[in-house]
């Protein structure tokens, strides 16, 4: 558009801060998406030969928060894997070692519980029930008005700014820019 300007793309650190903010608001799905994108940007910068101690610290922070988000989303195996990667980056950090132990214990407990449930159902001759996923309708029914407004804003943002790949026109992806401003 004439007269409009395009801002600079978000850096890995900017993406991390947005993800951290989502994590602080208990929006772990969004947190995971922002942090994964931040990690992807760090990987691209590393492949281009740009590495320094600040990026190493940022990578550790991303792994730390991403493992927590995965844990909160119920992905024990992924949370443990991320905690192990974090421990490889900083093996002497006691908190990171504690997190890895915690996630490992959670994963073992989850696996043992699943095995016990399968055995008991098999002994009773029952077919294992598939877990019913929470539908969007179920999630919306339990939201406060403020959370619903946030969800609605995010839904519209995703619908407008992240169309399925087959709906994209011939415009190059790197020229597409979209912003979410919730006026806060």
């Amino acid at each position: 558009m004439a007269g409009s300007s395009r801002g600079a793309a978000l850096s890995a650190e900017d993406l991390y801060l947005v993800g951290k903010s989502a994590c602080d608001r208990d929006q772990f799905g969004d947190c995971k998406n922002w942090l994964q994108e931040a990690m992807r940007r760090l990987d691209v910068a590393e492949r281009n030969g740009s590495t320094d101690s600040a990026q190493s610290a940022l990578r550790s922070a991303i792994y730390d928060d991403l493992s927590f988000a995965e844990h909160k989303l119920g992905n024990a195996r992924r949370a443990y894997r991320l905690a192990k990667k974090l421990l490889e980056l900083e093996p002497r950090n006691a908190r990171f070692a504690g997190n890895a132990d915690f996630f490992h214990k959670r994963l073992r407990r989850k696996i043992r519980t699943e095995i016990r449930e399968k055995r008991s159902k098999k002994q009773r001759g029952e077919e294992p029930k598939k877990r019913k996923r929470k539908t969007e309708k179920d999630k919306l029914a339990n939201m406060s008005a403020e959370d619903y407004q946030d969800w609605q804003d995010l839904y519209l943002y995703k619908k407008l700014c992240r169309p399925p790949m087959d709906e994209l026109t011939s415009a190059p992806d790197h020229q597409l820019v979209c912003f979410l401003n919730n006026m806060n």
Side-chain angles (χ1 to χ4, degrees), residues 6-175:
R6 177 181 153 177
L10 293 175
S11 68
E13 186 174 2
D14 295 334
L15 293 167
Y16 166 73
L17 292 173
V18 173
K20 177 75 172 151
S21 175
C23 192
D24 292 343
R25 291 188 319 269
D26 294 340
Q27 296 173 340
F28 299 109
D30 294 331
C31 171
K32 175 183 169 181
N33 293 336
W34 286 106
L35 294 178
Q36 285 176 333
E37 180 60 22
M39 187 62 73
R40 190 186 70 74
R41 296 258 174 106
L42 273 180
D43 291 341
V44 167
E46 191 174 281
R47 279 194 302 268
N48 293 334
S50 169
T51 57
D52 60 16
S53 61
Q55 285 182 334
S56 178
L58 181 59
R59 186 176 297 276
S60 294
I62 291 171
Y63 275 134
D64 188 27
D65 290 331
L66 190 54
S67 65
F68 179 72
E70 290 287 1
H71 163 68
K72 286 299 202 175
L73 290 169
N75 302 330
R77 186 167 276 116
R78 179 132 168 84
Y80 176 60
R81 266 192 235 127
L82 290 165
K84 280 190 351 185
K85 285 183 181 179
L86 178 58
L87 210 49
E88 289 171 9
L89 290 175
E90 296 190 35
R92 295 176 190 234
N93 190 311
R95 187 174 70 82
F96 296 162
N99 288 351
D101 286 344
F102 174 78
F103 294 142
H104 188 247
K105 287 176 186 174
R106 288 287 208 167
L107 178 60
R108 283 193 347 227
R109 187 178 313 144
K110 183 178 179 180
I111 291 170
R112 272 185 284 186
T113 303
E114 289 172 357
I115 290 170
R116 265 190 243 123
E117 287 175 359
K118 284 180 183 178
R119 283 182 186 159
S120 65
K121 287 180 181 185
K122 193 174 185 179
Q123 288 173 350
R124 292 185 302 229
E126 294 178 12
E127 287 292 318
K129 291 183 180 177
K130 292 185 177 179
R131 284 191 284 169
K132 183 182 175 186
R133 290 183 138 201
K134 261 191 171 180
T135 64
E136 202 68 31
K137 202 176 206 180
D138 295 335
K139 292 177 188 175
L140 293 175
N142 298 326
M143 282 186 184
S144 68
E146 186 177 305
D147 288 342
Y148 178 76
Q149 184 62 45
D150 289 344
W151 174 86
Q152 198 172 28
D153 291 344
L154 186 63
Y155 174 79
L156 289 173
Y157 166 77
K158 286 180 179 177
K159 193 154 178 93
L160 291 170
C161 299
R162 297 184 182 177
M165 293 308 287
D166 58 341
E167 290 181 17
L168 288 176
T169 62
S170 61
D173 289 346
H174 68 278
Q175 292 180 354

